[in-house]
Amino acid sequence: MADWITGKVVKVQNWTDALFSLTVHAPVQPFTAGQFAKLGLDIDGERVQRAYSYVNAPSNPDLEFYLVTVPDGKLSPRLAALQPGDDVQIVSEAAGFFVLEEVPDCDTLWMLATGTAIGPYLSILEEGKDLERFKNLVLVHAARYAADLSYLPQMRALEERYKGKLRIQTVVSRESVPGMLTGRVPALIESGALEAAAGLPISAETSHVMLCGNPQMVRDTQQLLKETRQMTKHLRRRPGHMTAEHYW
């Protein structure tokens, strides 16, 4: 049984009509960067819950979650309506294996995200632990429009902090913006545009690819890398080149 505790909303950041971040204070158990928690509200006599990744580093007591409002959803519109001081239920123990300790050593660690799935990578990069074993880090955030890249200022600050080790690449699919790639992530890999922009190759010899976000993007990218780069899913019993987490 999940151990639910009551958290207090301390901040609500509305980025667009559909995207928002919740910052919560709650006495959760220590977690590892990349993991997720469950948030819940009691609605019509039942606890409605969903899993959301921590955006904040584990060392930061401000528990931050990045969400999209699903118009006909049962939970997200109510979470979006919360105000500072409101209560929200949270599972005290985080879960998930989308963490660096599950990633093997390599020269270049590619972190590919769509939409709100940028969260785990921000947590990992803000924490900054266990990254010395990678020579290069590439963070790719793909969204429909540039306005949906809510954490771009934080991403650029991280790029400065890592002094050349971290490269940021943004992707939009429904407009053309200077400095950003246009299209879908699998197509940009297939054409070579993503690697050209980052100035680094994606290869089984040098790279590990973390994939987080839209299930179709994850599946298509995995299949493409399997067919064209001979890259395999990473398993503890059989080390490979790709680690994935789906976001619905």
Side-chain angles (χ1 to χ4, degrees):
M1 287 288 289
D3 183 14
W4 288 93
I5 56 176
T6 300
K8 190 75 69 177
V9 175
V10 295
K11 183 181 179 182
V12 182
Q13 175 73 55
N14 292 298
W15 302 105
T16 69
D17 290 344
L19 294 167
F20 67 101
S21 296
L22 280 182
T23 303
V24 178
H25 283 173
V28 296
Q29 297 180 32
F31 67 92
T32 301
Q35 289 191 305
F36 61 84
K38 288 183 179 178
L39 298 180
L41 292 173
D42 293 329
I43 301 169
D44 298 330
E46 66 167 325
R47 178 154 298 168
V48 181
Q49 56 182 283
R50 299 287 184 272
Y52 300 104
S53 290
Y54 284 107
V55 176
N56 60 293
S59 54
N60 184 349
D62 292 330
L63 309 179
E64 188 171 350
F65 304 93
Y66 184 34
L67 295 80
V68 60
T69 303
V70 180
D72 56 351
K74 200 165 185 179
L75 182 62
S76 62
R78 293 179 186 247
L79 290 174
L82 292 174
Q83 299 294 320
D86 288 346
D87 288 344
V88 62
Q89 301 303 307
I90 181 170
V91 171
S92 64
E93 186 173 359
F97 298 99
F98 198 69
V99 295
L100 283 185
E101 63 189 57
E102 298 290 334
V103 174
D105 294 351
C106 64
D107 283 347
T108 303
L109 179 61
W110 290 80
M111 302 173 165
L112 310 184
T114 57
T116 57
I118 191 68
Y121 300 128
L122 296 175
S123 181
I124 288 169
L125 291 167
E126 286 290 351
E127 188 70 355
K129 294 180 179 177
D130 198 29
L131 291 169
E132 63 281 347
R133 55 196 180 93
F134 309 109
K135 183 179 177 183
N136 305 298
L137 305 168
V138 183
L139 177 61
V140 178
H141 190 195
R144 293 179 179 180
Y145 301 99
D148 298 330
L149 300 167
S150 311
Y151 285 88
L152 185 54
Q154 184 174 340
M155 291 164 60
R156 287 180 172 148
L158 284 164
E159 191 174 32
E160 289 288 320
R161 172 178 148 189
Y162 282 91
K163 299 175 181 172
K165 179 171 180 169
L166 172 64
R167 305 180 191 196
I168 298 294
Q169 183 58 55
T170 49
V171 177
V172 289
S173 61
R174 298 195 180 180
E175 62 180 338
S176 180
V177 181
M180 300 184 184
L181 294 175
T182 303
R184 293 185 65 244
V185 169
L188 293 168
I189 294 174
E190 189 169 22
S191 70
L194 182 60
E195 290 157 284
L200 290 164
I202 300 176
S203 73
E205 293 73 33
T206 64
S207 311
H208 192 91
V209 180
M210 297 180 77
L211 296 152
C212 192
N214 179 283
Q216 193 65 52
M217 181 279 287
V218 172
R219 283 192 295 268
D220 290 350
T221 303
Q222 285 179 321
Q223 188 64 29
L224 176 68
L225 293 176
K226 179 181 177 182
E227 292 174 356
T228 64
R229 313 297 170 93
Q230 291 70 56
M231 300 177 85
T232 59
K233 289 184 183 179
H234 178 68
L235 303 170
R236 283 181 177 176
R237 65 180 182 275
R238 192 177 72 244
H241 317 97
M242 299 181 287
T243 300
E245 181 139 284
H246 292 188
Y247 261 50
W248 297 96

